[in-house]
Amino acid sequence: MEMKAIKKWLTFFCGILAAIMIADRLSDFIVSAAGIAGWGRLLVSFILFAALFFAILYAIERIAGIRFFGLDGDQ
């Protein structure tokens, strides 16, 4: 396997892992600060996590100049 391919996959997994960790911490903090409990907490936390995850991936793509999924239409 080429070094370029290894670097690409390593960047992909590190970016995904970073987005997961940041989105998890932020969604937990926001839901806790809002004082939501029960089923509402689960639902709001899930939706917030998903939104934050994709927003963070988008930010990483813009800042680092990398593409995670290549869905921007210019293929």
Side-chain angles (χ1 to χ4, degrees):
M1 191 179 252
E2 289 181 27
M3 200 61 166
K4 187 175 182 177
I6 293 171
K7 184 179 177 184
K8 178 182 174 183
W9 280 105
L10 187 61
T11 303
F12 176 80
F13 286 118
C14 287
I16 296 291
L17 182 62
I20 288 170
M21 291 174 62
I22 294 168
D24 183 50
R25 299 289 180 187
L26 282 175
S27 66
D28 284 345
F29 176 75
I30 293 169
V31 171
S32 294
I36 301 171
W39 281 101
R41 179 182 179 98
L42 179 67
L43 183 63
V44 170
S45 182
F46 176 75
I47 293 170
L48 191 58
F49 174 82
L52 286 170
F53 174 74
F54 287 111
I56 292 166
L57 276 184
Y58 180 74
I60 291 172
E61 283 182 340
R62 289 298 207 175
I63 292 168
I66 58 174
R67 290 174 44 194
F68 284 104
F69 301 110
L71 299 175
D72 60 354
D74 61 4
Q75 297 170 355

